[in-house]
Every structure is written in C-alpha cells, then in structure tokens.
Amino acid sequence: MVDEPEASDSLRTFGAVLQALREHAGLGREEFGALVGYSKHTVASIELGRRMPDRALMERAEEALGNAGALRRAFPTLARQPGLAAWFRRWARLEGEAITLYTYECRLIPGLLQTEAYARTLFANQLPPLDDEQIEAQWVARAERQLLLRERPNTAFGFILEEHLFRRRTGGVEVTRELIDHVLEVAEQRNVEIQIMPMAQEAHAGLGGPMRLLETSENQRFAYCEGQESGQFIADPKVVSILQMRYARMRSQALTLHDSLSLLQRIRGDI
C-alpha cells in the first residue's frame, strides 16, 4: 500500500489556495476546521500538501469561504498522494468518503490498525531496501490514513483478521503486545468492529485472499484486492456483490466481537 514518495505539485497548490482563502476570510485553522467538520491538524496537513482532501471537505470549504469555485475547479486535478503506491491512491481517496469500510486480512495487520513500531518493522524488511527518508515518508502517509478512524465517527469500519497475524509476533514480543493493546483500544470505538478468524476454523469463505469493501455516500460500492507490487480496483457490481457475499459469510464464521477481544487478550498473555 505504500511506495516511494513523489512530488505532488497539485496537492501543494490546492493546499496553498485553501490556506490563502482561509486567511483572507480571517479564519484560523481551528475555527475553519470547526466549520467544515475536520480537526485543525487535518486542515494543516491539507494546506501543506501532505494529505489528499476528500470531496466532502472541498464542498464544505467552498461554502465556508464564499463559493468562489477555485477549490471545486482544482479538486479533479488531485491525483497524487505522497507515500502511497500508485495502484492504491484511488482506493485511498475513496476511503476518505466512505460510509462503510470493511477489510479482511490474512497476511498482515491492516494499515489502519498498525502501530508505528509494527509499521516500521514492515518497512525495514522491504526489498529493495528503503532508506530512512523513505521509511519516514511511508510512516507519515500511514499515520495520516489512520486519522480516518477518529475523524469519521459516522463511518462504519469492520475488520476480520486471522488469528495467526498476532501469533506471528512480527517485530518481537513487545511490538506485538503494543499492537494488541492498540487494536483493543480501537475496538472500543462505537463505529469499529473487529473480529478474529480463529485458527480452529478449518475453512471459511475468504480463503481466496484479502479483500476490502466500501460504500460511498452516494451508495456506490467498490472493492479492492492487493498483491505484491500490484492492486486491483473493482467497480464491476457483479464482482463486488460476490465479494460482499463472501465477507458476510465470514462475519458469521469468525468469532463474535466479544469472543474476538477475549481471544486477543489471551494471546497477549501467552506471548
């Protein structure tokens, strides 16, 4: 999901225009953020060209800043996001507009749930090797995406994770304990559901591989499947429907929410 960062003139230009309009209106970042429903930190990230704005923010910003149309005209040109792989950017942009976002993973903990120590372990083991600057850029991009979990309380997030992802102890015992604590904390949010697919489950509907599913505010449904150095964005309604069917079956095959959290606590005690 991550790649070497690249220059993003369109993001920086959009951010500069947003900042100029905001300052012309006499609004501080915190005051403007309250008007558009985003934190001052998110506003700063967008103005500095580090974060891809979603359509909702753009429309609210236009309304708050006088409907001059500059942001609305610039928005379609935004196509690049530093620190994210080219094949992942379209999906990442839709994540910011989703009303539901469901993920099944059997390879590694999804980026939205990773701790910094876990993520840096993954980055450090990439081939070809990354230098310190590339690793830092990748972590910044991942940390920015994780804001979705806190800044979109009306979005329903669901995760089905294989038990062995925690049993592997990626990064060592302390990294794994911190990871489990973090996942348990995230699971306390009302809009987040985390289920564990136990190793005792001999077969289930997701054996074909990882998948992500989302629904936009316009009730459009898309899917995304990722492999090594590639990703497949799926818009075909028939294929999306099949993947939704599989995910629904997996929800019944995985442990309940309560039993999933109990298992994570037991794993933490075992390692």
mmCIF file with all atom_site columns, all heavy atoms in Angstrom, residues 18 28-34 37-51 57 143-144 147 150-151:
data_model
loop_
_atom_site.group_PDB
_atom_site.id
_atom_site.type_symbol
_atom_site.label_atom_id
_atom_site.label_alt_id
_atom_site.label_comp_id
_atom_site.label_asym_id
_atom_site.label_entity_id
_atom_site.label_seq_id
_atom_site.pdbx_PDB_ins_code
_atom_site.Cartn_x
_atom_site.Cartn_y
_atom_site.Cartn_z
_atom_site.occupancy
_atom_site.B_iso_or_equiv
_atom_site.pdbx_formal_charge
_atom_site.auth_seq_id
_atom_site.auth_comp_id
_atom_site.auth_asym_id
_atom_site.auth_atom_id
_atom_site.pdbx_PDB_model_num
ATOM 1   N N   . LEU A 1 18  ? -6.262  26.845 -0.593 1.00 0.00 ? 18  LEU A N   1
ATOM 2   C CA  . LEU A 1 18  ? -7.136  26.720 0.576  1.00 0.00 ? 18  LEU A CA  1
ATOM 3   C C   . LEU A 1 18  ? -6.661  27.641 1.699  1.00 0.00 ? 18  LEU A C   1
ATOM 4   O O   . LEU A 1 18  ? -7.461  28.345 2.330  1.00 0.00 ? 18  LEU A O   1
ATOM 5   C CB  . LEU A 1 18  ? -7.168  25.273 1.052  1.00 0.00 ? 18  LEU A CB  1
ATOM 6   C CG  . LEU A 1 18  ? -7.965  25.009 2.339  1.00 0.00 ? 18  LEU A CG  1
ATOM 7   C CD1 . LEU A 1 18  ? -9.433  25.378 2.140  1.00 0.00 ? 18  LEU A CD1 1
ATOM 8   C CD2 . LEU A 1 18  ? -7.830  23.547 2.754  1.00 0.00 ? 18  LEU A CD2 1
ATOM 9   N N   . GLY A 1 28  ? -8.774  31.164 11.551 1.00 0.00 ? 28  GLY A N   1
ATOM 10  C CA  . GLY A 1 28  ? -7.665  30.318 11.955 1.00 0.00 ? 28  GLY A CA  1
ATOM 11  C C   . GLY A 1 28  ? -7.964  28.879 11.581 1.00 0.00 ? 28  GLY A C   1
ATOM 12  O O   . GLY A 1 28  ? -9.097  28.532 11.239 1.00 0.00 ? 28  GLY A O   1
ATOM 13  N N   . ARG A 1 29  ? -6.957  28.024 11.634 1.00 0.00 ? 29  ARG A N   1
ATOM 14  C CA  . ARG A 1 29  ? -7.170  26.627 11.248 1.00 0.00 ? 29  ARG A CA  1
ATOM 15  C C   . ARG A 1 29  ? -8.192  25.932 12.135 1.00 0.00 ? 29  ARG A C   1
ATOM 16  O O   . ARG A 1 29  ? -9.024  25.146 11.662 1.00 0.00 ? 29  ARG A O   1
ATOM 17  C CB  . ARG A 1 29  ? -5.843  25.873 11.274 1.00 0.00 ? 29  ARG A CB  1
ATOM 18  C CG  . ARG A 1 29  ? -4.972  26.155 10.051 1.00 0.00 ? 29  ARG A CG  1
ATOM 19  C CD  . ARG A 1 29  ? -3.619  25.510 10.150 1.00 0.00 ? 29  ARG A CD  1
ATOM 20  N NE  . ARG A 1 29  ? -2.852  25.694 8.916  1.00 0.00 ? 29  ARG A NE  1
ATOM 21  C CZ  . ARG A 1 29  ? -1.550  25.514 8.810  1.00 0.00 ? 29  ARG A CZ  1
ATOM 22  N NH1 . ARG A 1 29  ? -0.834  25.157 9.888  1.00 0.00 ? 29  ARG A NH1 1
ATOM 23  N NH2 . ARG A 1 29  ? -0.929  25.704 7.655  1.00 0.00 ? 29  ARG A NH2 1
ATOM 24  N N   . GLU A 1 30  ? -8.148  26.202 13.430 1.00 0.00 ? 30  GLU A N   1
ATOM 25  C CA  . GLU A 1 30  ? -9.095  25.553 14.337 1.00 0.00 ? 30  GLU A CA  1
ATOM 26  C C   . GLU A 1 30  ? -10.520 26.030 14.078 1.00 0.00 ? 30  GLU A C   1
ATOM 27  O O   . GLU A 1 30  ? -11.463 25.227 14.044 1.00 0.00 ? 30  GLU A O   1
ATOM 28  C CB  . GLU A 1 30  ? -8.701  25.823 15.788 1.00 0.00 ? 30  GLU A CB  1
ATOM 29  C CG  . GLU A 1 30  ? -9.533  25.051 16.793 1.00 0.00 ? 30  GLU A CG  1
ATOM 30  C CD  . GLU A 1 30  ? -8.954  25.110 18.193 1.00 0.00 ? 30  GLU A CD  1
ATOM 31  O OE1 . GLU A 1 30  ? -7.942  25.818 18.400 1.00 0.00 ? 30  GLU A OE1 1
ATOM 32  O OE2 . GLU A 1 30  ? -9.493  24.428 19.084 1.00 0.00 ? 30  GLU A OE2 1
ATOM 33  N N   . GLU A 1 31  ? -10.672 27.334 13.877 1.00 0.00 ? 31  GLU A N   1
ATOM 34  C CA  . GLU A 1 31  ? -12.000 27.893 13.601 1.00 0.00 ? 31  GLU A CA  1
ATOM 35  C C   . GLU A 1 31  ? -12.548 27.377 12.275 1.00 0.00 ? 31  GLU A C   1
ATOM 36  O O   . GLU A 1 31  ? -13.719 26.988 12.166 1.00 0.00 ? 31  GLU A O   1
ATOM 37  C CB  . GLU A 1 31  ? -11.909 29.418 13.571 1.00 0.00 ? 31  GLU A CB  1
ATOM 38  C CG  . GLU A 1 31  ? -13.246 30.124 13.438 1.00 0.00 ? 31  GLU A CG  1
ATOM 39  C CD  . GLU A 1 31  ? -13.114 31.633 13.431 1.00 0.00 ? 31  GLU A CD  1
ATOM 40  O OE1 . GLU A 1 31  ? -11.948 32.121 13.429 1.00 0.00 ? 31  GLU A OE1 1
ATOM 41  O OE2 . GLU A 1 31  ? -14.146 32.326 13.425 1.00 0.00 ? 31  GLU A OE2 1
ATOM 42  N N   . PHE A 1 32  ? -11.691 27.350 11.251 1.00 0.00 ? 32  PHE A N   1
ATOM 43  C CA  . PHE A 1 32  ? -12.112 26.829 9.951  1.00 0.00 ? 32  PHE A CA  1
ATOM 44  C C   . PHE A 1 32  ? -12.444 25.347 10.046 1.00 0.00 ? 32  PHE A C   1
ATOM 45  O O   . PHE A 1 32  ? -13.441 24.878 9.481  1.00 0.00 ? 32  PHE A O   1
ATOM 46  C CB  . PHE A 1 32  ? -11.001 27.058 8.926  1.00 0.00 ? 32  PHE A CB  1
ATOM 47  C CG  . PHE A 1 32  ? -11.253 26.420 7.589  1.00 0.00 ? 32  PHE A CG  1
ATOM 48  C CD1 . PHE A 1 32  ? -12.195 26.946 6.719  1.00 0.00 ? 32  PHE A CD1 1
ATOM 49  C CD2 . PHE A 1 32  ? -10.553 25.282 7.209  1.00 0.00 ? 32  PHE A CD2 1
ATOM 50  C CE1 . PHE A 1 32  ? -12.431 26.352 5.482  1.00 0.00 ? 32  PHE A CE1 1
ATOM 51  C CE2 . PHE A 1 32  ? -10.779 24.680 5.980  1.00 0.00 ? 32  PHE A CE2 1
ATOM 52  C CZ  . PHE A 1 32  ? -11.727 25.218 5.117  1.00 0.00 ? 32  PHE A CZ  1
ATOM 53  N N   . GLY A 1 33  ? -11.607 24.591 10.775 1.00 0.00 ? 33  GLY A N   1
ATOM 54  C CA  . GLY A 1 33  ? -11.860 23.164 10.943 1.00 0.00 ? 33  GLY A CA  1
ATOM 55  C C   . GLY A 1 33  ? -13.209 22.885 11.571 1.00 0.00 ? 33  GLY A C   1
ATOM 56  O O   . GLY A 1 33  ? -13.913 21.949 11.180 1.00 0.00 ? 33  GLY A O   1
ATOM 57  N N   . ALA A 1 34  ? -13.607 23.717 12.543 1.00 0.00 ? 34  ALA A N   1
ATOM 58  C CA  . ALA A 1 34  ? -14.910 23.540 13.177 1.00 0.00 ? 34  ALA A CA  1
ATOM 59  C C   . ALA A 1 34  ? -16.046 23.767 12.179 1.00 0.00 ? 34  ALA A C   1
ATOM 60  O O   . ALA A 1 34  ? -17.082 23.091 12.234 1.00 0.00 ? 34  ALA A O   1
ATOM 61  C CB  . ALA A 1 34  ? -15.038 24.495 14.354 1.00 0.00 ? 34  ALA A CB  1
ATOM 62  N N   . GLY A 1 37  ? -15.935 20.591 9.820  1.00 0.00 ? 37  GLY A N   1
ATOM 63  C CA  . GLY A 1 37  ? -16.043 19.288 10.462 1.00 0.00 ? 37  GLY A CA  1
ATOM 64  C C   . GLY A 1 37  ? -14.769 18.474 10.483 1.00 0.00 ? 37  GLY A C   1
ATOM 65  O O   . GLY A 1 37  ? -14.830 17.239 10.514 1.00 0.00 ? 37  GLY A O   1
ATOM 66  N N   . TYR A 1 38  ? -13.597 19.145 10.452 1.00 0.00 ? 38  TYR A N   1
ATOM 67  C CA  . TYR A 1 38  ? -12.319 18.443 10.492 1.00 0.00 ? 38  TYR A CA  1
ATOM 68  C C   . TYR A 1 38  ? -11.422 19.112 11.533 1.00 0.00 ? 38  TYR A C   1
ATOM 69  O O   . TYR A 1 38  ? -11.596 20.290 11.866 1.00 0.00 ? 38  TYR A O   1
ATOM 70  C CB  . TYR A 1 38  ? -11.631 18.466 9.120  1.00 0.00 ? 38  TYR A CB  1
ATOM 71  C CG  . TYR A 1 38  ? -12.326 17.613 8.088  1.00 0.00 ? 38  TYR A CG  1
ATOM 72  C CD1 . TYR A 1 38  ? -13.446 18.092 7.410  1.00 0.00 ? 38  TYR A CD1 1
ATOM 73  C CD2 . TYR A 1 38  ? -11.879 16.330 7.798  1.00 0.00 ? 38  TYR A CD2 1
ATOM 74  C CE1 . TYR A 1 38  ? -14.097 17.314 6.470  1.00 0.00 ? 38  TYR A CE1 1
ATOM 75  C CE2 . TYR A 1 38  ? -12.524 15.548 6.848  1.00 0.00 ? 38  TYR A CE2 1
ATOM 76  C CZ  . TYR A 1 38  ? -13.633 16.039 6.197  1.00 0.00 ? 38  TYR A CZ  1
ATOM 77  O OH  . TYR A 1 38  ? -14.274 15.255 5.273  1.00 0.00 ? 38  TYR A OH  1
ATOM 78  N N   . SER A 1 39  ? -10.451 18.370 12.049 1.00 0.00 ? 39  SER A N   1
ATOM 79  C CA  . SER A 1 39  ? -9.555  18.913 13.055 1.00 0.00 ? 39  SER A CA  1
ATOM 80  C C   . SER A 1 39  ? -8.595  19.917 12.433 1.00 0.00 ? 39  SER A C   1
ATOM 81  O O   . SER A 1 39  ? -8.352  19.911 11.221 1.00 0.00 ? 39  SER A O   1
ATOM 82  C CB  . SER A 1 39  ? -8.757  17.794 13.731 1.00 0.00 ? 39  SER A CB  1
ATOM 83  O OG  . SER A 1 39  ? -7.778  17.281 12.844 1.00 0.00 ? 39  SER A OG  1
ATOM 84  N N   . LYS A 1 40  ? -8.020  20.777 13.283 1.00 0.00 ? 40  LYS A N   1
ATOM 85  C CA  . LYS A 1 40  ? -7.038  21.742 12.784 1.00 0.00 ? 40  LYS A CA  1
ATOM 86  C C   . LYS A 1 40  ? -5.800  21.030 12.239 1.00 0.00 ? 40  LYS A C   1
ATOM 87  O O   . LYS A 1 40  ? -5.126  21.540 11.337 1.00 0.00 ? 40  LYS A O   1
ATOM 88  C CB  . LYS A 1 40  ? -6.637  22.717 13.883 1.00 0.00 ? 40  LYS A CB  1
ATOM 89  C CG  . LYS A 1 40  ? -5.907  22.096 15.061 1.00 0.00 ? 40  LYS A CG  1
ATOM 90  C CD  . LYS A 1 40  ? -5.522  23.145 16.090 1.00 0.00 ? 40  LYS A CD  1
ATOM 91  C CE  . LYS A 1 40  ? -4.769  22.526 17.267 1.00 0.00 ? 40  LYS A CE  1
ATOM 92  N NZ  . LYS A 1 40  ? -4.397  23.545 18.283 1.00 0.00 ? 40  LYS A NZ  1
ATOM 93  N N   . HIS A 1 41  ? -5.503  19.838 12.768 1.00 0.00 ? 41  HIS A N   1
ATOM 94  C CA  . HIS A 1 41  ? -4.355  19.073 12.290 1.00 0.00 ? 41  HIS A CA  1
ATOM 95  C C   . HIS A 1 41  ? -4.595  18.580 10.857 1.00 0.00 ? 41  HIS A C   1
ATOM 96  O O   . HIS A 1 41  ? -3.684  18.588 10.029 1.00 0.00 ? 41  HIS A O   1
ATOM 97  C CB  . HIS A 1 41  ? -4.083  17.895 13.219 1.00 0.00 ? 41  HIS A CB  1
ATOM 98  C CG  . HIS A 1 41  ? -3.856  18.304 14.643 1.00 0.00 ? 41  HIS A CG  1
ATOM 99  N ND1 . HIS A 1 41  ? -2.765  19.041 15.040 1.00 0.00 ? 41  HIS A ND1 1
ATOM 100 C CD2 . HIS A 1 41  ? -4.601  18.103 15.760 1.00 0.00 ? 41  HIS A CD2 1
ATOM 101 C CE1 . HIS A 1 41  ? -2.826  19.263 16.334 1.00 0.00 ? 41  HIS A CE1 1
ATOM 102 N NE2 . HIS A 1 41  ? -3.930  18.709 16.797 1.00 0.00 ? 41  HIS A NE2 1
ATOM 103 N N   . THR A 1 42  ? -5.831  18.144 10.572 1.00 0.00 ? 42  THR A N   1
ATOM 104 C CA  . THR A 1 42  ? -6.157  17.720 9.212  1.00 0.00 ? 42  THR A CA  1
ATOM 105 C C   . THR A 1 42  ? -6.093  18.895 8.255  1.00 0.00 ? 42  THR A C   1
ATOM 106 O O   . THR A 1 42  ? -5.571  18.781 7.140  1.00 0.00 ? 42  THR A O   1
ATOM 107 C CB  . THR A 1 42  ? -7.556  17.094 9.175  1.00 0.00 ? 42  THR A CB  1
ATOM 108 O OG1 . THR A 1 42  ? -7.580  15.944 10.023 1.00 0.00 ? 42  THR A OG1 1
ATOM 109 C CG2 . THR A 1 42  ? -7.938  16.675 7.764  1.00 0.00 ? 42  THR A CG2 1
ATOM 110 N N   . VAL A 1 43  ? -6.621  20.034 8.687  1.00 0.00 ? 43  VAL A N   1
ATOM 111 C CA  . VAL A 1 43  ? -6.561  21.240 7.856  1.00 0.00 ? 43  VAL A CA  1
ATOM 112 C C   . VAL A 1 43  ? -5.113  21.592 7.547  1.00 0.00 ? 43  VAL A C   1
ATOM 113 O O   . VAL A 1 43  ? -4.758  21.888 6.396  1.00 0.00 ? 43  VAL A O   1
ATOM 114 C CB  . VAL A 1 43  ? -7.264  22.417 8.555  1.00 0.00 ? 43  VAL A CB  1
ATOM 115 C CG1 . VAL A 1 43  ? -7.063  23.713 7.756  1.00 0.00 ? 43  VAL A CG1 1
ATOM 116 C CG2 . VAL A 1 43  ? -8.751  22.126 8.717  1.00 0.00 ? 43  VAL A CG2 1
ATOM 117 N N   . ALA A 1 44  ? -4.254  21.529 8.561  1.00 0.00 ? 44  ALA A N   1
ATOM 118 C CA  . ALA A 1 44  ? -2.837  21.842 8.347  1.00 0.00 ? 44  ALA A CA  1
ATOM 119 C C   . ALA A 1 44  ? -2.206  20.875 7.359  1.00 0.00 ? 44  ALA A C   1
ATOM 120 O O   . ALA A 1 44  ? -1.441  21.287 6.473  1.00 0.00 ? 44  ALA A O   1
ATOM 121 C CB  . ALA A 1 44  ? -2.090  21.799 9.681  1.00 0.00 ? 44  ALA A CB  1
ATOM 122 N N   . SER A 1 45  ? -2.503  19.582 7.480  1.00 0.00 ? 45  SER A N   1
ATOM 123 C CA  . SER A 1 45  ? -1.929  18.582 6.580  1.00 0.00 ? 45  SER A CA  1
ATOM 124 C C   . SER A 1 45  ? -2.334  18.837 5.134  1.00 0.00 ? 45  SER A C   1
ATOM 125 O O   . SER A 1 45  ? -1.529  18.680 4.208  1.00 0.00 ? 45  SER A O   1
ATOM 126 C CB  . SER A 1 45  ? -2.371  17.181 7.007  1.00 0.00 ? 45  SER A CB  1
ATOM 127 O OG  . SER A 1 45  ? -1.823  16.842 8.261  1.00 0.00 ? 45  SER A OG  1
ATOM 128 N N   . ILE A 1 46  ? -3.578  19.235 4.935  1.00 0.00 ? 46  ILE A N   1
ATOM 129 C CA  . ILE A 1 46  ? -4.057  19.504 3.573  1.00 0.00 ? 46  ILE A CA  1
ATOM 130 C C   . ILE A 1 46  ? -3.409  20.773 3.030  1.00 0.00 ? 46  ILE A C   1
ATOM 131 O O   . ILE A 1 46  ? -2.962  20.819 1.879  1.00 0.00 ? 46  ILE A O   1
ATOM 132 C CB  . ILE A 1 46  ? -5.592  19.613 3.559  1.00 0.00 ? 46  ILE A CB  1
ATOM 133 C CG1 . ILE A 1 46  ? -6.210  18.239 3.849  1.00 0.00 ? 46  ILE A CG1 1
ATOM 134 C CG2 . ILE A 1 46  ? -6.090  20.142 2.217  1.00 0.00 ? 46  ILE A CG2 1
ATOM 135 C CD1 . ILE A 1 46  ? -7.704  18.269 4.048  1.00 0.00 ? 46  ILE A CD1 1
ATOM 136 N N   . GLU A 1 47  ? -3.320  21.812 3.847  1.00 0.00 ? 47  GLU A N   1
ATOM 137 C CA  . GLU A 1 47  ? -2.727  23.063 3.387  1.00 0.00 ? 47  GLU A CA  1
ATOM 138 C C   . GLU A 1 47  ? -1.246  22.909 3.062  1.00 0.00 ? 47  GLU A C   1
ATOM 139 O O   . GLU A 1 47  ? -0.724  23.602 2.192  1.00 0.00 ? 47  GLU A O   1
ATOM 140 C CB  . GLU A 1 47  ? -2.921  24.145 4.453  1.00 0.00 ? 47  GLU A CB  1
ATOM 141 C CG  . GLU A 1 47  ? -4.364  24.599 4.579  1.00 0.00 ? 47  GLU A CG  1
ATOM 142 C CD  . GLU A 1 47  ? -4.552  25.735 5.561  1.00 0.00 ? 47  GLU A CD  1
ATOM 143 O OE1 . GLU A 1 47  ? -3.596  26.034 6.324  1.00 0.00 ? 47  GLU A OE1 1
ATOM 144 O OE2 . GLU A 1 47  ? -5.654  26.326 5.573  1.00 0.00 ? 47  GLU A OE2 1
ATOM 145 N N   . LEU A 1 48  ? -0.580  21.980 3.733  1.00 0.00 ? 48  LEU A N   1
ATOM 146 C CA  . LEU A 1 48  ? 0.843   21.748 3.476  1.00 0.00 ? 48  LEU A CA  1
ATOM 147 C C   . LEU A 1 48  ? 1.070   20.741 2.346  1.00 0.00 ? 48  LEU A C   1
ATOM 148 O O   . LEU A 1 48  ? 2.205   20.413 2.016  1.00 0.00 ? 48  LEU A O   1
ATOM 149 C CB  . LEU A 1 48  ? 1.524   21.252 4.751  1.00 0.00 ? 48  LEU A CB  1
ATOM 150 C CG  . LEU A 1 48  ? 1.577   22.279 5.899  1.00 0.00 ? 48  LEU A CG  1
ATOM 151 C CD1 . LEU A 1 48  ? 2.097   21.617 7.169  1.00 0.00 ? 48  LEU A CD1 1
ATOM 152 C CD2 . LEU A 1 48  ? 2.442   23.459 5.514  1.00 0.00 ? 48  LEU A CD2 1
ATOM 153 N N   . GLY A 1 49  ? -0.022  20.230 1.754  1.00 0.00 ? 49  GLY A N   1
ATOM 154 C CA  . GLY A 1 49  ? 0.098   19.308 0.638  1.00 0.00 ? 49  GLY A CA  1
ATOM 155 C C   . GLY A 1 49  ? 0.472   17.903 1.030  1.00 0.00 ? 49  GLY A C   1
ATOM 156 O O   . GLY A 1 49  ? 0.912   17.115 0.197  1.00 0.00 ? 49  GLY A O   1
ATOM 157 N N   . ARG A 1 50  ? 0.267   17.543 2.316  1.00 0.00 ? 50  ARG A N   1
ATOM 158 C CA  . ARG A 1 50  ? 0.647   16.213 2.775  1.00 0.00 ? 50  ARG A CA  1
ATOM 159 C C   . ARG A 1 50  ? -0.515  15.232 2.757  1.00 0.00 ? 50  ARG A C   1
ATOM 160 O O   . ARG A 1 50  ? -0.310  14.032 2.876  1.00 0.00 ? 50  ARG A O   1
ATOM 161 C CB  . ARG A 1 50  ? 1.207   16.289 4.205  1.00 0.00 ? 50  ARG A CB  1
ATOM 162 C CG  . ARG A 1 50  ? 2.501   17.060 4.339  1.00 0.00 ? 50  ARG A CG  1
ATOM 163 C CD  . ARG A 1 50  ? 3.226   16.679 5.613  1.00 0.00 ? 50  ARG A CD  1
ATOM 164 N NE  . ARG A 1 50  ? 2.371   16.801 6.777  1.00 0.00 ? 50  ARG A NE  1
ATOM 165 C CZ  . ARG A 1 50  ? 2.448   17.811 7.650  1.00 0.00 ? 50  ARG A CZ  1
ATOM 166 N NH1 . ARG A 1 50  ? 3.330   18.773 7.458  1.00 0.00 ? 50  ARG A NH1 1
ATOM 167 N NH2 . ARG A 1 50  ? 1.647   17.860 8.685  1.00 0.00 ? 50  ARG A NH2 1
ATOM 168 N N   . ARG A 1 51  ? -1.729  15.744 2.620  1.00 0.00 ? 51  ARG A N   1
ATOM 169 C CA  . ARG A 1 51  ? -2.894  14.863 2.693  1.00 0.00 ? 51  ARG A CA  1
ATOM 170 C C   . ARG A 1 51  ? -3.863  15.156 1.563  1.00 0.00 ? 51  ARG A C   1
ATOM 171 O O   . ARG A 1 51  ? -4.097  16.310 1.216  1.00 0.00 ? 51  ARG A O   1
ATOM 172 C CB  . ARG A 1 51  ? -3.599  15.027 4.041  1.00 0.00 ? 51  ARG A CB  1
ATOM 173 C CG  . ARG A 1 51  ? -4.862  14.190 4.165  1.00 0.00 ? 51  ARG A CG  1
ATOM 174 C CD  . ARG A 1 51  ? -5.372  14.148 5.575  1.00 0.00 ? 51  ARG A CD  1
ATOM 175 N NE  . ARG A 1 51  ? -6.592  13.349 5.641  1.00 0.00 ? 51  ARG A NE  1
ATOM 176 C CZ  . ARG A 1 51  ? -7.136  12.906 6.741  1.00 0.00 ? 51  ARG A CZ  1
ATOM 177 N NH1 . ARG A 1 51  ? -6.557  13.170 7.902  1.00 0.00 ? 51  ARG A NH1 1
ATOM 178 N NH2 . ARG A 1 51  ? -8.240  12.204 6.738  1.00 0.00 ? 51  ARG A NH2 1
ATOM 179 N N   . LEU A 1 57  ? -14.870 17.603 2.308  1.00 0.00 ? 57  LEU A N   1
ATOM 180 C CA  . LEU A 1 57  ? -14.145 18.771 2.819  1.00 0.00 ? 57  LEU A CA  1
ATOM 181 C C   . LEU A 1 57  ? -14.126 19.885 1.781  1.00 0.00 ? 57  LEU A C   1
ATOM 182 O O   . LEU A 1 57  ? -14.325 21.056 2.107  1.00 0.00 ? 57  LEU A O   1
ATOM 183 C CB  . LEU A 1 57  ? -12.724 18.391 3.231  1.00 0.00 ? 57  LEU A CB  1
ATOM 184 C CG  . LEU A 1 57  ? -11.907 19.542 3.836  1.00 0.00 ? 57  LEU A CG  1
ATOM 185 C CD1 . LEU A 1 57  ? -11.019 19.057 4.969  1.00 0.00 ? 57  LEU A CD1 1
ATOM 186 C CD2 . LEU A 1 57  ? -11.045 20.238 2.777  1.00 0.00 ? 57  LEU A CD2 1
ATOM 187 N N   . ALA A 1 143 ? 0.178   7.104  8.974  1.00 0.00 ? 143 ALA A N   1
ATOM 188 C CA  . ALA A 1 143 ? -0.402  7.771  10.140 1.00 0.00 ? 143 ALA A CA  1
ATOM 189 C C   . ALA A 1 143 ? -1.526  8.725  9.723  1.00 0.00 ? 143 ALA A C   1
ATOM 190 O O   . ALA A 1 143 ? -2.542  8.845  10.417 1.00 0.00 ? 143 ALA A O   1
ATOM 191 C CB  . ALA A 1 143 ? 0.684   8.524  10.900 1.00 0.00 ? 143 ALA A CB  1
ATOM 192 N N   . GLU A 1 144 ? -1.350  9.383  8.571  1.00 0.00 ? 144 GLU A N   1
ATOM 193 C CA  . GLU A 1 144 ? -2.401  10.273 8.069  1.00 0.00 ? 144 GLU A CA  1
ATOM 194 C C   . GLU A 1 144 ? -3.664  9.486  7.749  1.00 0.00 ? 144 GLU A C   1
ATOM 195 O O   . GLU A 1 144 ? -4.778  9.924  8.069  1.00 0.00 ? 144 GLU A O   1
ATOM 196 C CB  . GLU A 1 144 ? -1.904  11.012 6.821  1.00 0.00 ? 144 GLU A CB  1
ATOM 197 C CG  . GLU A 1 144 ? -0.852  12.074 7.087  1.00 0.00 ? 144 GLU A CG  1
ATOM 198 C CD  . GLU A 1 144 ? -1.441  13.348 7.661  1.00 0.00 ? 144 GLU A CD  1
ATOM 199 O OE1 . GLU A 1 144 ? -2.679  13.486 7.642  1.00 0.00 ? 144 GLU A OE1 1
ATOM 200 O OE2 . GLU A 1 144 ? -0.663  14.187 8.133  1.00 0.00 ? 144 GLU A OE2 1
ATOM 201 N N   . LEU A 1 147 ? -6.048  8.579  10.657 1.00 0.00 ? 147 LEU A N   1
ATOM 202 C CA  . LEU A 1 147 ? -6.942  9.595  11.193 1.00 0.00 ? 147 LEU A CA  1
ATOM 203 C C   . LEU A 1 147 ? -8.396  9.328  10.816 1.00 0.00 ? 147 LEU A C   1
ATOM 204 O O   . LEU A 1 147 ? -9.317  9.820  11.472 1.00 0.00 ? 147 LEU A O   1
ATOM 205 C CB  . LEU A 1 147 ? -6.521  10.984 10.688 1.00 0.00 ? 147 LEU A CB  1
ATOM 206 C CG  . LEU A 1 147 ? -5.167  11.503 11.185 1.00 0.00 ? 147 LEU A CG  1
ATOM 207 C CD1 . LEU A 1 147 ? -4.826  12.823 10.487 1.00 0.00 ? 147 LEU A CD1 1
ATOM 208 C CD2 . LEU A 1 147 ? -5.176  11.697 12.691 1.00 0.00 ? 147 LEU A CD2 1
ATOM 209 N N   . ARG A 1 150 ? -10.675 8.138  13.592 1.00 0.00 ? 150 ARG A N   1
ATOM 210 C CA  . ARG A 1 150 ? -11.101 9.094  14.610 1.00 0.00 ? 150 ARG A CA  1
ATOM 211 C C   . ARG A 1 150 ? -11.934 10.232 14.030 1.00 0.00 ? 150 ARG A C   1
ATOM 212 O O   . ARG A 1 150 ? -12.806 10.774 14.722 1.00 0.00 ? 150 ARG A O   1
ATOM 213 C CB  . ARG A 1 150 ? -9.882  9.689  15.317 1.00 0.00 ? 150 ARG A CB  1
ATOM 214 C CG  . ARG A 1 150 ? -9.060  8.662  16.073 1.00 0.00 ? 150 ARG A CG  1
ATOM 215 C CD  . ARG A 1 150 ? -8.124  9.330  17.058 1.00 0.00 ? 150 ARG A CD  1
ATOM 216 N NE  . ARG A 1 150 ? -7.212  10.269 16.432 1.00 0.00 ? 150 ARG A NE  1
ATOM 217 C CZ  . ARG A 1 150 ? -6.021  9.929  15.939 1.00 0.00 ? 150 ARG A CZ  1
ATOM 218 N NH1 . ARG A 1 150 ? -5.620  8.668  15.998 1.00 0.00 ? 150 ARG A NH1 1
ATOM 219 N NH2 . ARG A 1 150 ? -5.238  10.834 15.399 1.00 0.00 ? 150 ARG A NH2 1
ATOM 220 N N   . GLU A 1 151 ? -11.671 10.585 12.789 1.00 0.00 ? 151 GLU A N   1
ATOM 221 C CA  . GLU A 1 151 ? -12.308 11.770 12.225 1.00 0.00 ? 151 GLU A CA  1
ATOM 222 C C   . GLU A 1 151 ? -13.568 11.462 11.424 1.00 0.00 ? 151 GLU A C   1
ATOM 223 O O   . GLU A 1 151 ? -14.235 12.391 10.952 1.00 0.00 ? 151 GLU A O   1
ATOM 224 C CB  . GLU A 1 151 ? -11.300 12.530 11.354 1.00 0.00 ? 151 GLU A CB  1
ATOM 225 C CG  . GLU A 1 151 ? -10.124 13.062 12.162 1.00 0.00 ? 151 GLU A CG  1
ATOM 226 C CD  . GLU A 1 151 ? -9.159  13.876 11.332 1.00 0.00 ? 151 GLU A CD  1
ATOM 227 O OE1 . GLU A 1 151 ? -9.284  13.827 10.087 1.00 0.00 ? 151 GLU A OE1 1
ATOM 228 O OE2 . GLU A 1 151 ? -8.296  14.555 11.919 1.00 0.00 ? 151 GLU A OE2 1
#
